[in-house]
Amino acid sequence: MKTYLLKDACIVNEGKQVHADVLVKNGRIEKIAANITTRENSTELVASDRYLLPGVIDDQVHFREPGLTHKATIYTEARAAVAGGITSFMEMPNTNPPAFTHALLEDKYEIGRNTSLANYSFFMGTSNDNLEEVLRTNERKQDICGVKIFMGSSTGNLLVDNPLTLEKIFAGSELLIATHCEDESIIKANLQALKSRKAKLEPSDHPVIRNEEGCFESSFRAIQYAKKYDSRLHILHISTEKELQLFGNMLPLAEKRITAEVCVHHLHFTSEDYATLGNQIKCNPAIKAPHNRKALWEALLDDRLDIIATDHAPHTWEEKQEDYEHAHAGLPLVQHSLQLMLHYVKEGKISIEKVVEKMSHAVATCFQIKERGYIREGYHADLVLVNMNQGNTVTKENILYKCGWSPLEGFHFPASVTHTFVNGHLVYGNGVFDESQKGQRMQFER
């Protein structure tokens, strides 16, 4: 492997900014110091005009492989991710077939090993009738990120609505349980009520159908299970002001048994954007009224919300152009999530230190990821250089998702990702990919 010497970078790490050199050797951060002498056979990269961040870890993506590869593949979406500064991802089980057995789960890991430019982990999927397979993950705490439960509407048999099954998963799982929380009965009742009043539903009806109450009731129920069994619960994509009363910020993150995530699209869009973007921003849980976004920002900044993620969920343009009821739910976001948060840094809404905390450090802490998520000597060299004064605009020509579109098309970012290192390998530099080395399977210290 090449040895790299990053000179005079502004390192953003663990709440501080420090100008220093970083020596990357054999895939690891070998040394961090004020002035490291150039090493023989090392490639020097002067970074005095840029910030050096730990690679972003996205704990919630849908890369669609196997079975849905007309939308995306692990290769295409991981490639887009590293171009956006995401060096590691955790992918969800709603592929075809769903990852309901350890054999199917290992099939996904094999695809990741062969094709992913980023580091990877995959959640074990749950259904009403695969309890035995789910609890077998207890034997593999070091190499599986967690167990995923859809406690709200989903496709096929991914919805877990059997109370006995839920009880047994929360009682028996020793891994982190990640939940999608929306109450199915509330969603169905809202849908029928709206259909009785309207001849045709529109994208703007989405947050009415998938409303605040549906999210709150499901999140509240998940927390009740977790408290009853002292489970390690992580609630994904919080989207409502009402849910925020369920979370606290009094404990250090490492001591929390119940944590929560917010996604970039819920921090950026509101229900007012359906008028221009329509089904492009249809997702579950829904993007809701502006007061929810305001509350999410407040909770992110005061640490009731622990992680920023994407819930990257690509669909083809044709699938998004269907009428509201048939248009697929989900947005492609991994290429642009870090840049979007740096936009808010520039606006003064959040500090760059806080962005690093929520997109790298906190994910590593929540999931107990081994030797990633921080810029520390001895850690894997997952690193991102960003230029805060080099802007770029999202266009069809520079979108890397296989689906070829983004709800952010036309948006101008004030900052750019210039270089991404994964395990010490410069996989992306100034728009050029080096795909000679793949990412690694993440390990966990549990």
Side-chain angles (χ1 to χ4, degrees), residues 212 241 270 288-296:
E212 289 90 341
E241 179 179 31
T270 73
K288 298 180 175 69
H291 71 274
N292 294 289
R293 181 177 66 177
K294 180 177 183 292
L296 293 173

Side-chain angles (χ1 to χ4, degrees), residues 11-25:
I11 300 170
V12 183
N13 188 57
E14 301 187 66
K16 298 178 182 178
Q17 295 185 25
V18 179
H19 278 273
D21 298 350
V22 178
L23 181 65
V24 174
K25 187 175 181 180

Side-chain angles (χ1 to χ4, degrees), residues 6 9-10 45-47 50-53 338 383-387 416-421 426:
L6 310 183
C10 183
L45 202 164
V46 178
R50 278 162 286 176
Y51 288 91
L52 183 66
L53 317 180
L338 175 58
L383 302 167
V384 179
L385 278 169
V386 299
N387 188 330
S416 295
V417 173
T418 64
H419 296 75
T420 303
F421 293 84
L426 182 57

Side-chain angles (χ1 to χ4, degrees), residues 25 70 147 158 161 178 209 251-252 255 272 288 292-293 301 342 369 392 424:
K25 187 175 181 180
H70 66 288
V147 170
L158 282 152
D161 55 2
I209 296 164
L251 290 175
E255 296 178 20
E272 295 174 354
K288 298 180 175 69
N292 294 289
R293 181 177 66 177
L301 295 174
L342 294 177
I369 301 170
N392 67 96

Side-chain angles (χ1 to χ4, degrees), residues 84-101:
I86 292 174
T87 56
S88 303
F89 64 83
M90 300 176 219
E91 206 263 354
M92 291 297 166
N94 54 329
T95 45
N96 187 17
F100 284 160
T101 69

Side-chain angles (χ1 to χ4, degrees), residues 82-128:
V82 297
I86 292 174
T87 56
S88 303
F89 64 83
M90 300 176 219
E91 206 263 354
M92 291 297 166
N94 54 329
T95 45
N96 187 17
F100 284 160
T101 69
H102 281 266
L104 290 170
L105 191 61
E106 286 306 311
D107 287 345
K108 294 179 76 170
Y109 276 106
E110 184 67 10
I111 296 169
R113 186 179 71 83
N114 290 325
T115 68
S116 178
L117 298 179
N119 306 310
Y120 50 88
S121 191
F122 297 94
F123 281 90
M124 181 70 191
T126 57
S127 71
N128 282 323

Side-chain angles (χ1 to χ4, degrees), residues 401-420:
Y401 311 126
K402 186 174 182 178
C403 66
W405 67 274
S406 166
L408 294 166
E409 188 176 338
F411 191 87
H412 181 77
F413 293 116
S416 295
V417 173
T418 64
H419 296 75
T420 303

